[in-house]
Amino acid sequence: MPERLSATHTNSNGIVTLTIPGSAAASAEELLEALRRQIHALAGKDDVKGVLLTGPESGFCRCLPVGGSSTSAAASLSNLGQQIMFSLEKIGKPCIAVIESECSGIGLEIALTCDFIVAGQAAHFGLPGIASGLLPFCGGSQRLARLVGKSKAKELIYSGDLIDAEEAYRIGLINRLYPNSEALAHAEQLLTHICTRSPNAIRIGGEIVNAGYDIDLQTACMMERDAFALCFASFDQREGMQAFLDKRPPQFKGE
Amino acid sequence: MPFKKLRIEITNRVGYILLDAGSRFNKLSITTIRELKRALTQIEEDAAVNVIVLSGYPGESFAAGADIGQMVHFAPGDAFHFAELGQSLFEQIESSAKPVIGALNGITMGGGCDLAMACDIRIATEGLRIGHTGAKLGIITGFCGTHKLPRIVGKNYAREIFMTSEIYGAAEALHMGLVDRVYCETEFWPEVCSFAERIASHPLSALSAAKRLINAAEDTDLRTGCLLEREMATHINIHL
C-alpha cells in the first residue's frame, strides 16, 4: 500500500507539515490508517513542536470512497475515524489546518479536529456526502455544530453545498483568511510564533479547553483552578515570569 | 473602609465601579480583587442601582492582568488560593441580580480579559487591546478563562488566542464576538452611560430573571431551560 500521507520537516523550529492527499487516496480507511501512523509517530517526538496539516493544490481532501457495505463495516469505520480524531486532538502540540482549495467530506472532518483552520481565498468547504446518502462519521457533525452553531451545521450537512472562504470566515469556520496561495506561508509563520510560547501551557490549556467544553461551568472552573495551580510547579512558569520581569524573551523547556 | 484601587459613582440608577489602581495599568492583585468583591457587594445592596458598569475609564487600561511580581514566587498552593479568590469574584458578578456591563476602555489582558468575560455585556473603545498572555508566562489562566473564552468566541478562536498570546484589536474582537459593541474614543463613554441608563430604566425583577435565564441556558438542556423560563415568566409577567 502506498504511503498516502507525507510528512516533511519544513523548518528548523520543529514544525512538521503533513500533506493529506486529495482524491488520490484510494479510500477513507486507507487515509485514516495512514493518519493514525503519522499521529502516533509525531506525538512521541520531542523535537516536533507543531504540526501543519495541509493538502496538495488539487484539494485538501475530498469525499473518499467508503469501503464495505455492511452495517458492521460502517460502524467500525466510524469508530476508527472517531478514535483517530480523538488522538489527533490529544497530540499535545499545536496543530493548524491550512486550506488553499477544496476541503470537504472527511477532509473537513480532519480540519475541524485541528486547533483551528486558516485558509486562502480559493478555499471552499462542505460536506457533499449527503448526495450519496453519506453522513460525516469522524465526529464532524458534532465538531461542526459546536463551532458554527446548529443552524449553519444543518445547512451545510442537509444541502451538501460548498461554501467559499469568505463565508467560512464570516460564520467562524476558519480563524484567518489570507490572499490566494499565501495561507501556508502565513500559517507556518503563525505556528513558529506559537512555538516560542510555553509548550507546557499550550498543552495543558488545550486539554483544559477540550475537557471543559461539554461540562457545566462550575466543574470546568474547578478543573482549571487545579491545572492553573499545577503550572506553578513547572520550569516554564518560573522562566516565563522571570523573563517578563527581566524584560527578555523566555527560553521555555516545556516542563 | 475606603477603597484604594477603585472608586464608585452612582448616577441615574447606574452604579459605576471604576478601577484606578494608582499606577499606569490596573493590575488584578489580591488587594484589587478583594476590593472589587467588596464594591460589588456594596452596589448590589444599594436599592438605588439597577445596573452595574465595570470599567477603568478614564485610564489607559481596563485591567492588565495579574501582578506578575506578586505571582512569580507563588507555590502551587498560593496559585490555588489565588484562582479561588479570582473565581469567587467572577461568580459573584455572574450570580449578581443586577446586570453587569464591562466597559473596556483600553488594555484588557489576561485576568483582565477574564474579568471582562464575567460581565454580561462588553462594550469597547476602538483603542481596545485584548488578549490572554498565559502561554508567554508559562501558565494557563486560573480565572475561568479557559472555559469562558471558548463559550464566548468558540473553541477555535479561544485556542488561537491562548496559543499565540497575542494582543488583538477592537475589530478582531468584534468579529470573534469577544466584545458586543465598539465605539470611537469620543463616543465611547457617552454611549456606555446612555446604554447603561436605558437598561437601568427597566424593572430590575425582569432584568434579573433574564440574566439568570440566559446564564442557565449555557449549562442546561433545552427542556429544563424552557421549564425554568415558564416558571420565571409566569412569576414576572403576573404583574403586567
Side-chain angles (χ1 to χ4, degrees):
Chain A
M1 190 175 77
E3 189 56 78
R4 299 291 183 182
L5 275 172
S6 53
T8 35
H9 277 271
T10 55
N11 69 22
S12 53
N13 298 314
I15 288 173
V16 166
T17 304
L18 265 186
T19 306
I20 295 187
S23 38
S27 69
E29 286 96 327
E30 194 185 321
L31 179 74
L32 285 169
E33 280 298 346
L35 187 59
R36 168 154 72 185
R37 283 193 296 277
Q38 288 290 357
I39 293 167
H40 184 73
L42 294 174
K45 279 190 188 144
D46 284 344
D47 57 336
V48 173
K49 305 296 181 204
V51 180
L52 293 175
L53 267 157
T54 189
E57 280 177 19
S58 57
F60 181 77
C61 185
R62 300 190 180 153
C63 278
L64 289 170
V66 179
S69 53
S70 70
T71 308
S72 65
S76 67
L77 179 64
S78 179
N79 186 42
L80 175 75
Q82 292 185 353
Q83 292 308 321
I84 292 170
M85 294 309 135
F86 285 133
S87 63
L88 176 57
E89 216 165 51
K90 283 189 271 186
I91 197 165
K93 307 168 196 295
C95 177
I96 302 175
V98 190
I99 313 298
E100 293 276 19
S101 52
E102 180 175 327
C103 172
S104 62
I106 194 170
L108 181 55
E109 296 199 74
I110 296 169
L112 281 165
T113 312
C114 297
D115 285 318
F116 56 89
I117 305 172
V118 304
Q121 285 283 355
H124 34 290
F125 303 85
L127 294 162
I130 193 83
S132 2
L134 291 179
L135 290 178
F137 59 92
C138 299
S141 66
Q142 302 306 299
R143 291 194 176 87
L144 183 64
R146 281 164 172 75
L147 188 59
V148 301
K150 279 200 239 176
S151 304
K152 277 289 159 201
K154 285 175 183 164
E155 187 185 327
L156 282 164
I157 293 175
Y158 292 176
S159 70
D161 290 344
L162 296 183
I163 57 170
D164 63 20
E166 295 277 355
E167 172 79 352
Y169 181 68
R170 202 178 58 73
I171 68 173
L173 179 61
I174 61 173
N175 278 29
R176 295 184 181 212
L177 178 56
Y178 297 111
N180 235 349
S181 313
E182 288 181 21
L184 189 59
H186 282 287
E188 195 179 322
Q189 210 175 6
L190 182 63
L191 190 52
T192 305
H193 177 63
I194 287 171
C195 289
T196 64
R197 307 313 193 196
S198 157
N200 212 33
I202 288 178
R203 185 180 52 77
I204 295 174
E207 283 173 7
I208 290 288
V209 166
N210 282 338
Y213 198 67
D214 286 324
I215 59 176
D216 70 280
L217 194 63
Q218 267 196 333
T219 314
C221 289
M222 270 172 58
M223 283 172 35
E224 180 201 74
R225 178 199 63 194
D226 294 352
F228 170 74
L230 196 65
C231 291
F232 286 79
S234 72
F235 170 86
D236 279 7
Q237 175 266 327
R238 291 188 299 278
E239 169 60 13
M241 292 194 173
Q242 199 55 56
F244 175 85
L245 294 172
D246 298 347
K247 298 185 166 47
R248 60 169 171 87
Q251 299 293 325
F252 291 117
K253 289 186 186 168
E255 50 193 49
Chain B
M1 209 159 69
F3 295 102
K4 287 184 191 140
K5 306 290 188 183
L6 55 86
R7 57 206 162 76
I8 294 176
E9 286 172 16
I10 292 165
T11 324
N12 299 331
R13 308 199 69 77
V14 179
Y16 297 87
I17 299 179
L18 301 167
L19 279 166
D20 182 6
S23 54
R24 190 172 162 201
F25 303 124
N26 296 317
K27 287 178 185 160
L28 286 183
S29 64
I30 293 171
T31 315
T32 307
I33 296 174
R34 290 204 176 119
E35 286 201 4
L36 274 169
K37 285 174 66 77
R38 193 151 58 82
L40 267 169
T41 308
Q42 187 180 317
I43 293 195
E44 280 172 326
E45 287 166 357
D46 189 335
V49 171
N50 272 9
V51 167
I52 300 166
V53 171
L54 205 57
S55 187
Y57 185 83
E60 208 174 325
S61 68
F62 173 73
D67 186 340
I68 305 304
Q70 195 172 55
M71 270 177 121
V72 67
H73 304 297
F74 274 5
D78 303 319
F80 179 94
H81 291 301
F82 187 56
E84 288 220 302
L85 177 69
Q87 293 196 359
S88 74
L89 166 64
F90 301 142
E91 201 179 318
Q92 191 182 347
I93 294 172
E94 273 170 50
S95 58
S96 165
K98 297 172 183 180
V100 181
I101 298 169
L104 314 185
N105 52 299
I107 294 162
T108 304
M109 302 296 289
C113 180
D114 292 335
L115 179 63
M117 291 192 291
C119 299
D120 297 312
I121 297 166
R122 284 161 293 284
I123 303 176
T125 67
E126 275 177 352
L128 175 73
R129 289 163 67 76
I130 193 164
H132 241 297
T133 53
K136 215 154 92 177
L137 298 165
I139 59 166
I140 63 165
T141 177
F143 287 178
C144 310
T146 60
H147 304 305
K148 296 290 296 192
L149 191 57
R151 282 163 166 81
I152 292 172
V153 303
K155 254 195 209 182
N156 289 20
Y157 275 124
R159 285 190 285 229
E160 182 192 314
I161 292 169
F162 287 132
M163 290 197 308
T164 62
S165 289
E166 269 312 313
I167 298 169
Y168 293 79
E172 290 165 299
L174 189 65
H175 171 76
M176 294 188 280
L178 186 49
V179 299
D180 303 292
R181 294 174 180 217
V182 174
Y183 296 103
C184 69
E185 304 297 325
T186 50
E187 286 172 17
F188 171 69
W189 197 246
E191 289 287 350
V192 167
C193 297
S194 77
F195 182 67
E197 285 175 20
R198 197 160 74 247
I199 294 179
S201 71
H202 302 143
L204 183 59
S205 59
L207 292 172
S208 301
K211 174 168 174 167
R212 257 176 288 159
L213 274 177
I214 299 297
N215 282 345
E218 197 162 76
D219 287 325
T220 317
D221 65 277
L222 185 61
R223 280 178 188 282
T224 312
C226 285
L227 213 69
L228 199 65
E229 182 195 74
R230 195 167 66 203
E231 282 185 13
M232 282 199 176
T234 306
H235 181 68
I236 300 289
N237 298 353
I238 200 163
H239 303 297
L240 285 175

